[in-house]
Structure formats: structure tokens, C-alpha cells
């Protein structure tokens, strides 16, 4: 994997998403600061969404937008092949 699917790029993307999710801006019309929760699409909790409720379309969703899950490895023995699987294998399996 290379380009936008390189692990370092995915880590930077996760960091950017976290920064954007925490960003607020003053909305003069509302007379208050607004955040992602005020403007996001949250189909599972539309009346009172939290940052985790906002629908995000991103390759990092395959890892639940979580660095620890991106870093996970596991031993796999499927009867023919054995070895360590990581985020590459998880992504291939999902897509």
C-alpha cells in the first residue's frame, strides 16, 4: 500500500479528523459557538448528536476512527497460511 493508503497518511488523516471534530466557530446569528454536532448528519441520534454520532465517510471508518484499532495486529492460522495480520489485511477484507 502506498499513497493515500499508507499507514502514516492514515494516521495524519485521523489526527485531522479529530481536530476538525473539536473545532468550534462563533455563529453571530445563533449568538453562540457552534461545532460539528450542530451541523452534522447524525441519523442514529438526530435530536441530540454527540461527535461520535456524526456520519463520516472516510477510509478511517474501517478502523472506527481509532488509532489503536489501526495499529492492531493478530496471529492468524487459516489451515493453509499462517502469520501476522494487520491493518492491510483488515482493509482488504472489508472492501
Amino acid at each position: 500500500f502506498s499513497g493515500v493508503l499508507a499507514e502514516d497518511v492514515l494516521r495524519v488523516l485521523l489526527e485531522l479528523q479529530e481536530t476538525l471534530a473539536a473545532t468550534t466557530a462563533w455563529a453571530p446569528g445563533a449568538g453562540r459557538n457552534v461545532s460539528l454536532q450542530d451541523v452534522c448528519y447524525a441519523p442514529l441520534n438526530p435530536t441530540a448528536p454527540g461527535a461520535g454520532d456524526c456520519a463520516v465517510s472516510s477510509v478511517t471508518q474501517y478502523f472506527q476512527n481509532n488509532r489503536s484499532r489501526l495499529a492492531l495486529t493478530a496471529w492468524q492460522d487459516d489451515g493453509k497460511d499462517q502469520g501476522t495480520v494487520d491493518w492491510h489485511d483488515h482493509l482488504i477484507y472489508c472492501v
Side-chain angles (χ1 to χ4, degrees):
F1 290 76
S2 63
V4 296
L5 289 180
E7 185 174 5
D8 59 332
V9 173
L10 294 174
R11 290 188 183 284
V12 170
L13 180 56
L14 279 168
E15 185 178 322
L16 175 60
Q17 285 179 201
E18 290 167 359
T19 300
L20 291 174
T23 299
T24 61
W26 178 254
R32 65 182 180 88
N33 279 331
V34 295
S35 65
L36 177 62
Q37 294 91 315
D38 295 306
V39 298
C40 78
Y41 174 60
L44 300 179
N45 189 7
T47 55
D53 296 319
C54 298
V56 176
S57 295
S58 172
V59 68
T60 60
Q61 277 296 107
Y62 290 110
F63 310 100
Q64 293 77 44
N65 292 321
N66 184 307
R67 266 176 238 197
S68 298
R69 293 182 189 219
L70 178 63
L72 284 176
T73 61
W75 178 257
Q76 177 178 312
D77 183 351
D78 67 4
K80 293 187 302 187
D81 300 316
Q82 53 182 314
T84 302
V85 294
D86 62 7
W87 69 274
H88 299 93
D89 304 285
H90 180 76
L91 188 60
I92 290 169
Y93 177 79
C94 288
V95 297

